[in-house]
């Protein structure tokens, strides 16, 4: 199961766990998870988190909490693990699960810091484009448009320039970020114009041209984009 589908299941499980209409059978299942978690938490408190035994107990907790969408327990155990086990073979996996926990409860600042740390450590990993998109989403919600644009551009590049939606979002957010953003908007749009066609290319080019030309924010960029549009008869 890929990570995106697993996240959907986690969110569905969390909604189920918080529902006031839980059946008696579901209540028993949740109570069993709580019992297992309490036992493992008790073991963890007695162990040195940096030891092999401590690592294994934290991993059991992370897996239990993640599988059952217990976000707060997942965050607590995940943070403890990634802090002291940077070289562990499952460090990357736990970082992704920790990020899921932050996403479930919308801890935006923690999402930003965890996503950036993941991208620093595992920029070539297959999950990196999705993590960059998640980072961009949160930064955009925080109205940090330049930072969000950079995150979406990174997602586009990490995808091998196949994730056009992230590229388009980066162009638009750069374009909404004043004179400095307009220059970045023109730069990225000019690069993307070689990878798209038809009305998509026309819309992209004209948007970037308007932003660069606005108030002469980036006259050089506007000229370059205008020439590109003329060359391609767009």
């Amino acid at each position: 199961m890929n990570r995106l589908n697993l996240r959907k299941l986690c969110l569905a499980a969390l909604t189920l766990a918080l529902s006031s209409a839980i059946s008696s059978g579901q209540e028993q299942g949740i109570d069993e998870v709580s019992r297992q978690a309490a036992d493992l938490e008790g073991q963890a408190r007695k162990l040195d988190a940096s030891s092999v035994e401590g690592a294994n107990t934290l991993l059991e907790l992370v897996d239990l909490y993640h599988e059952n969408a217990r976000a707060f327990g997942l965050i607590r155990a995940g943070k403890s693990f990634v802090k002291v086990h940077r070289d562990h073979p499952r460090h990357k996996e736990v970082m992704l699960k920790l990020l899921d926990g932050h996403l479930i409860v919308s801890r935006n600042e923690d999402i930003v810091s965890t996503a950036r740390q993941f991208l620093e450590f595992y920029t070539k990993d297959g999950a990196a484009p999705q993590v960059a998109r998640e980072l961009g989403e949160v930064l955009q919600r925080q109205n940090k448009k330049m930072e969000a644009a950079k995150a979406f551009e990174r997602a586009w590049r990490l995808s091998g320039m196949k994730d056009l939606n992230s590229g388009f979002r980066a162009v638009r957010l750069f374009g909404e970020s004043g004179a400095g953003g307009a220059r970045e908007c023109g730069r990225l749009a000019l690069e993307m114009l070689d990878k798209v066609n038809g009305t998509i290319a026309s819309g992209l080019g004209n948007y970037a041209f308007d932003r660069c030309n606005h108030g002469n924010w980036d006259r050089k960029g506007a000229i370059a984009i205008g020439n590109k549009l003329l060359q391609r008869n767009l």
Side-chain angles (χ1 to χ4, degrees), residues 25-186:
Q26 290 167 334
E27 288 177 348
Q28 291 174 2
I30 290 173
D31 286 342
E32 176 61 19
V33 171
S34 298
R35 184 194 64 76
Q36 292 178 39
D39 288 346
L40 288 168
E41 292 280 7
Q43 293 177 41
R45 284 192 291 271
K46 298 174 184 177
L47 296 168
D48 180 353
S50 64
S51 68
V52 173
E53 295 81 3
N56 290 337
T57 302
L58 287 172
L59 285 171
E60 287 188 67
L61 278 167
V62 167
D63 291 340
L64 178 67
Y65 286 137
H66 191 257
E67 289 168 7
N68 293 279
R70 301 293 183 88
F72 297 108
L74 171 58
I75 290 167
R76 185 172 58 251
K79 276 186 172 181
S80 296
F81 183 88
V82 300
K83 182 178 180 180
V84 296
H85 293 287
R86 171 68 181 87
D87 297 324
H88 194 282
R90 291 189 62 188
H91 182 269
K92 176 182 69 177
E93 175 192 344
V94 175
M95 282 201 75
L96 290 172
K97 289 182 176 181
L98 174 59
L99 183 57
D100 285 343
H102 292 317
L103 285 161
I104 289 171
V105 294
S106 300
R107 287 189 172 179
N108 289 337
E109 292 303 327
D110 288 324
I111 294 169
V112 170
S113 61
T114 303
R116 282 176 168 160
Q117 188 176 50
F118 182 89
L119 292 170
E120 178 185 349
F121 291 160
Y122 303 111
T123 190
K124 294 182 180 180
D125 187 76
Q130 177 64 24
V131 172
R133 282 190 292 273
E134 291 163 353
L135 175 59
E137 294 280 1
V138 173
L139 291 169
Q140 185 174 5
R141 287 200 298 271
Q142 294 178 323
N143 204 34
K144 297 177 180 179
K145 293 183 179 180
M146 278 289 282
E147 292 183 51
K150 291 174 183 177
F152 282 121
E153 180 179 355
R154 189 171 189 181
W156 175 64
R157 294 191 185 283
L158 288 171
S159 73
M161 302 182 183
K162 296 177 182 178
D163 178 15
L164 292 176
N165 185 57
S166 288
F168 295 147
R169 291 181 73 174
V171 168
R172 182 159 294 276
L173 285 165
F174 278 135
E176 295 173 3
S177 301
R183 287 188 288 273
E184 296 302 308
C185 171

